[in-house]
Amino acid sequence: MERIFYLDFIRALSVIMIVTFHFNCSLGTVGISGFNKIFANFTNGDWGATGVILFFIISGVDLMHSNKEKIELKKYYEKRFLRIYPMFWIAYTTLFLYNFYCNKHIPYLNNFKLIISYLGMDGYLSYLIPNFYIIGEWFLGAIILIYILFPVLRYLSNRYPRTYIILLTILTILICFFNPFKIHPLRNIVVCIFSFSLGMYYEKYIKDIKVYQFLIAVIITIVIYFIKIEFLNFSILMNIFGSSLFIALVYISKFINIQFFKDICIYIGKYSYAIFLLHHYIIGYILDKFRGTYLSIFETCCLYLLCFTIILLWSKLLIYVT
């Protein structure tokens, strides 16, 4: 299958956005003062949510591209299983045992909740029930559910393209505005499927961005980034921002011809899943060593580079072991 560079490009950017956002959040958590605002928030949103939305969109593009003509269910589910669970289980078990070694204690929770963790759903369900959540973030559970549902989503988008996307858009807007559920709207599986489906539709029906589409996307992105919008809530704005940014980045990627930069994007993209699994735990571990300190701009940047380097090294090791 041909390699699509804009997927590597946007995947690498989404990884950097998410890691940087969590790094910034963790600075305040451990009481690090001084310069602690690195690429975290903007006027109407934050880069963490943006990175997740971009990741859902490119996942939709990627799966629709690789299953364009037909989908063999057995082969599809085997491939998804092997890409997600062996690496997750190795990382989770290692950190679970390491935490036990450090704490000399395992909190009592029933076996059912440990099963939730080994299914990769603990981060997604942590708002609902206490469990053994350690790694993976909430969006691991969301993407697992989407991967399970993908054959159905693919069928609906192929068989009823207009009806499917219109109903999904209406549901997403209603959830983002009124949210009758305990889970945050952006984490609601319907809203996540909406972002994923945008990628599916882009791959199937658009595939190429025109200049006027790029300009509209850039204008929308700039307006949401700089101008406070009161009549739309955070969840709606982030979906619009993420979708517009995706269009702009796809167009920009066509003009990237520097091979070194392409190689960096491919390299980060290659380790993206392992990075998503490990980054929050590693950031928390390293920043805890600096708890309560005051850092200058240069020192904060050095700390960030230290975290990102160690995350990359451990991610590479995890993939190697898997």
Side-chain angles (χ1 to χ4, degrees), residues 300-313:
T300 304
C301 291
C302 287
L303 183 57
Y304 173 78
L305 289 175
L306 173 65
C307 288
F308 204 92
T309 301
I310 293 176
I311 290 167
L312 276 177
L313 291 174

Side-chain angles (χ1 to χ4, degrees), residues 114-128:
L114 186 59
I115 291 173
I116 290 176
S117 293
Y118 271 89
L119 289 175
M121 299 301 298
D122 51 3
Y124 191 72
L125 296 176
S126 60
Y127 78 98
L128 192 61

